[in-house]
């Protein structure tokens, strides 16, 4: 009995690494190196950037694209159709994010990221080649449903960093997203309709003259193609234990001898159910509460991005600013640059001092990273892909509602310019402020719960 206890103590005290397990290799690297994993953070940065660029690049020119499709009977109805194009991507992602998360938990983060990068190249290019409304909607839908990158990358960010650097790793995602909010609208604003903006370089009969919204999409697709190639060297972080099974079973038999088969069997079955049961994730209130709050803020952000772009380019007679695509791209790029500076230089320090919940209350621009932290800390590694898939699916559904609802609200508001209460676009921005206030109230107890123990 003493020998059995000695063997069990060795197993308990010693961290066991499996030779051919990619997750174990990452864990050994984290244990042996106390510094930042710069190479892995670079992979994280460029993959998320490639995923972010197509989401924001269409906003500066979406109004003009819908106008060129000649589907809206009146100019005031353009926002209505633009909302559906803006929502198609997020609606597709809402339908498949949980599936991609489960695939990432079963087969690894890397295959999902590679497949998503390739589909991004294909369907983003086809969107730039759209010649009618339905082609634009379908290509955006397929792009969203087949590119399941973001959920696995959020799990990946927690898995490549030591615990003290997890906030930084997740901040890299928000930072890369912020750069996407800078570069994406800038590309869409300055490079859409190149034959009109740069007639000395692009003629009306050229490829980019016949497809005026292809150039920004094509450049983003070329970048995504380079990311897909680099992702071949992306290290896997999922634990896949296929070796030393006999030795592990021997230890399990010793534990059963020492402590009884019932306790060991119950523990093992409980762990397996916890790891693979979607129901257990849905009952995890720290996880679900952070997802719900995250969804409310994302609904506001997506609706605002859509509405601001439509309002800025619409004619002054309807309460707009009559901006060009370049003007809209410049405004969105400047605002995104402000977010980028905060995430890059201030957020990691502020989060360490105040924690993710208080930091999220201080400013809505930091809500994303703080809730990423809460979601990843509320589950174990084996559940992170699925948990982030649930989060991404719910968030995508709310983001799909944002442009669709915002576009319809915008079109309705443009038809009520002379009413006494909140005329025209005043009503639109009032509704946006109400949504933001609701999200802020939901960050307080008893609604938002912080995980008791990091997993």
């Amino acid at each position: 009995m003493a020998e059995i206890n000695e063997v069990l103590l060795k197993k308990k005290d010693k961290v066991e690494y499996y030779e051919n397990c990619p997750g174990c290799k990452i864990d050994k690297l984290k244990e042996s190196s106390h510094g930042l994993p710069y190479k892995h953070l670079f992979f994280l940065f460029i993959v998320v950037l490639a995923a972010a660029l197509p989401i924001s690049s269409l906003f500066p020119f979406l109004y003009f694209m819908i106008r060129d499709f000649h589907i809206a009977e009146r100019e005031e109805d353009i926002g209505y159709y633009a909302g559906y194009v803006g929502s198609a991507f997020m609606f597709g992602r809402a339908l498949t994010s949980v599936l991609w998360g489960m695939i990432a938990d079963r087969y690894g983060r890397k295959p999902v990221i590679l497949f998503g990068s390739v589909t991004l190249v294909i369907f983003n290019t086809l969107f730039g080649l759209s010649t009618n409304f339905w082609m634009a909607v379908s290509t955006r839908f397929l792009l969203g449903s087949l590119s399941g990158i973001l959920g696995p990358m959020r799990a990946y960010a927690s898995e490549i960093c030591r615990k003290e650097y997890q906030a930084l790793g997740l901040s890299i995602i928000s930072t890369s997203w912020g750069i996407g909010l800078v570069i994406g609208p800038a590309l869409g604003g300055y490079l859409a309709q190149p034959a009109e903006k740069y007639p000395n370089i692009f003629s009306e009969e050229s490829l980019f003259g016949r497809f005026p919204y292809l150039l920004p999409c094509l450049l983003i697709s070329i970048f995504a193609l380079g990311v897909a190639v680099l992702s071949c060297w992306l290290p896997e972080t999922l634990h896949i234990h296929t070796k030393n099974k006999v030795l592990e079973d021997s230890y399990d038999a010793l534990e059963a001898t020492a402590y009884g088969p019932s306790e060991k069997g119950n523990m093992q079955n409980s762990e397996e159910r916890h790891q693979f049961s979607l129901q257990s994730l849905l009952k995890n209130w720290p996880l679900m509460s952070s997802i719900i709050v995250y969804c409310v803020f994302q609904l506001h952000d997506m609706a605002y991005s859509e509405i601001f772009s439509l309002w800025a380019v619409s004619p002054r007679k309807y309460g707009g600013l009559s901006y060009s695509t370049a003007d809209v791209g410049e405004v969105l790029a400047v605002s995104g640059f402000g977010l980028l500076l905060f995430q890059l230089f201030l957020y990691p320090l502020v989060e360490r001092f105040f924690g993710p919940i208080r930091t999220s209350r201080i400013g809505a621009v930091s809500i994303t990273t703080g809730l990423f932290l809460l979601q990843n800390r509320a589950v174990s590694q084996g559940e992170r892909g699925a948990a982030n898939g649930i989060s991404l699916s719910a968030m995508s559904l709310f983001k799909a509602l944002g442009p669709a609802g915002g576009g319809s609200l915008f079109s309705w508001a443009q038809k009520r310019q002379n009413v006494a209460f909140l005329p025209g676009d005043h009503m639109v921005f009032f509704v946006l402020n109400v949504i933001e206030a609701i999200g802020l109230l939901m960050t307080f107890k008893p609604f938002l719960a912080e995980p008791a123990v990091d997993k």
Side-chain angles (χ1 to χ4, degrees):
M1 187 67 181
E3 294 179 357
I4 292 176
N5 288 335
E6 182 179 356
V7 172
L8 294 175
L9 287 174
K10 285 183 179 179
K11 181 189 177 186
K12 181 178 179 180
D13 296 337
K14 182 181 178 182
V15 177
E16 186 176 3
Y17 296 112
Y18 291 79
E19 182 178 355
N20 295 322
C21 172
C24 288
K25 292 179 181 179
I26 293 294
D27 286 347
K28 288 174 65 176
L29 181 63
K30 290 191 293 185
E31 184 177 348
S32 61
S33 175
H34 294 275
L36 285 170
Y38 291 104
K39 183 178 71 173
H40 298 159
L41 291 177
F42 171 74
F43 279 125
L44 178 70
F45 180 85
I46 62 170
V47 171
V48 174
L49 179 60
L53 288 174
I55 297 176
S56 57
S57 61
L58 80 162
F59 289 129
F61 62 76
L62 185 56
Y63 183 94
F64 301 99
M65 175 182 265
I66 299 298
R67 183 197 64 186
D68 293 347
F69 289 156
H70 303 293
I71 192 171
E73 295 182 359
R74 297 181 298 177
E75 198 168 9
E76 302 98 302
D77 295 330
I78 289 179
Y80 175 80
Y81 292 98
Y84 283 104
V85 176
S87 296
F89 176 93
M90 292 300 170
F91 182 66
R93 196 164 73 173
L95 295 178
T96 61
S97 291
V98 175
L99 174 62
W100 288 121
M102 295 174 67
I103 292 174
D105 280 342
R106 183 175 180 87
Y107 299 104
R109 310 343 184 175
K110 184 175 179 178
V112 175
I113 293 167
L114 278 170
F115 182 82
S117 299
V118 173
T119 57
L120 193 156
V121 174
I122 296 171
F123 292 105
N124 188 60
T125 303
L126 290 176
F127 173 70
L129 292 169
S130 297
T131 55
N132 58 69
F133 172 76
W134 293 111
M135 181 177 178
V137 170
S138 60
T139 52
R140 290 289 293 182
F141 173 80
L142 291 172
L143 176 60
S145 60
L146 297 178
S147 183
I149 295 176
L150 187 58
M153 289 309 295
R154 283 160 51 180
Y156 186 84
S158 293
E159 294 162 359
I160 61 172
C161 295
R162 296 171 61 91
K163 184 178 178 181
E164 60 265 29
Y165 297 127
Q166 285 183 359
L168 176 62
L170 290 169
S171 184
I172 289 292
I173 290 183
S174 299
T175 299
S176 182
W177 202 265
I179 292 180
L181 295 178
V182 175
I183 300 177
L187 289 174
Y190 286 107
L191 299 182
Q193 302 169 316
E196 296 181 17
K197 293 187 178 75
Y198 317 107
N200 295 330
I201 302 176
F202 303 98
S203 66
E204 291 288 345
E205 292 76 23
S206 67
L207 176 65
F208 299 113
R210 290 182 289 115
F211 300 98
Y213 310 104
L214 173 61
L215 182 57
C217 296
L218 183 61
L219 290 180
I220 292 172
S221 296
I222 292 173
F223 175 73
L225 180 60
V227 169
V229 173
L230 287 177
S231 295
C232 295
W233 288 273
L234 187 75
E236 181 60 70
T237 59
L238 184 67
H239 284 274
I240 304 173
H241 297 163
T242 57
K243 298 294 183 182
N244 300 330
K245 184 64 178 175
V246 175
L247 183 60
E248 183 181 14
D249 290 342
S250 300
Y251 282 136
D252 291 342
L254 289 173
E255 288 188 82
T257 303
Y259 303 115
S262 177
E263 179 182 354
K264 174 62 182 178
N266 290 338
M267 289 173 59
Q268 187 175 22
N269 291 337
S270 176
E271 290 173 359
E272 290 176 357
R273 286 196 301 268
H274 179 69
Q275 183 175 359
F276 296 107
S277 175
L278 185 61
Q279 186 177 5
S280 67
L281 292 177
L282 297 178
K283 291 181 178 179
N284 186 334
W285 182 244
L287 171 66
M288 298 308 299
S289 64
S290 62
I291 289 177
I292 294 171
V293 177
Y294 176 60
C295 287
V296 173
F297 278 99
Q298 293 302 308
L299 169 66
H300 172 273
D301 290 349
M302 197 68 176
Y304 176 82
S305 297
E306 171 93 3
I307 288 172
F308 172 79
S309 300
L310 295 175
W311 171 66
V313 299
S314 62
R316 291 186 181 273
K317 64 181 179 179
Y318 298 123
L321 301 178
S322 295
Y323 276 11
S324 67
T325 57
D327 295 329
V328 177
E330 185 175 345
V331 172
L332 293 178
V334 170
S335 61
F337 185 68
L339 172 63
L340 169 64
L341 291 179
F342 178 84
Q343 293 288 355
L344 191 59
F345 297 108
L346 293 180
Y347 181 80
L349 298 176
V350 175
E351 189 276 333
R352 288 180 187 175
F353 186 78
F354 291 105
I357 293 181
R358 291 182 180 176
T359 306
S360 300
R361 293 173 187 156
I362 293 173
V365 294
S366 63
I367 190 73
T368 299
T369 305
L371 293 174
F372 281 176
L373 279 171
L374 293 177
Q375 291 165 24
N376 279 331
R377 291 175 180 176
V379 295
S380 62
Q381 189 202 28
E383 298 171 315
R384 280 183 188 145
N388 280 292
I390 294 173
S391 171
L392 194 60
S393 182
M395 177 269 288
S396 298
L397 178 60
F398 274 70
K399 278 195 168 186
L401 295 174
S408 299
L409 179 64
F410 177 79
S411 293
W412 171 70
Q414 285 199 324
K415 300 171 185 175
R416 54 188 303 277
Q417 299 291 331
N418 300 317
V419 299
F421 179 70
L422 296 176
D425 300 321
H426 294 184
M427 173 61 75
V428 176
F429 291 102
F430 172 77
V431 172
L432 290 176
N433 288 333
V434 169
I435 295 173
E436 184 81 359
I438 292 173
L440 177 61
L441 290 175
M442 293 172 70
T443 63
F444 290 89
K445 292 181 178 180
F447 189 85
L448 185 60
E450 190 168 4
V453 179
D454 291 346
K455 299 184 180 183

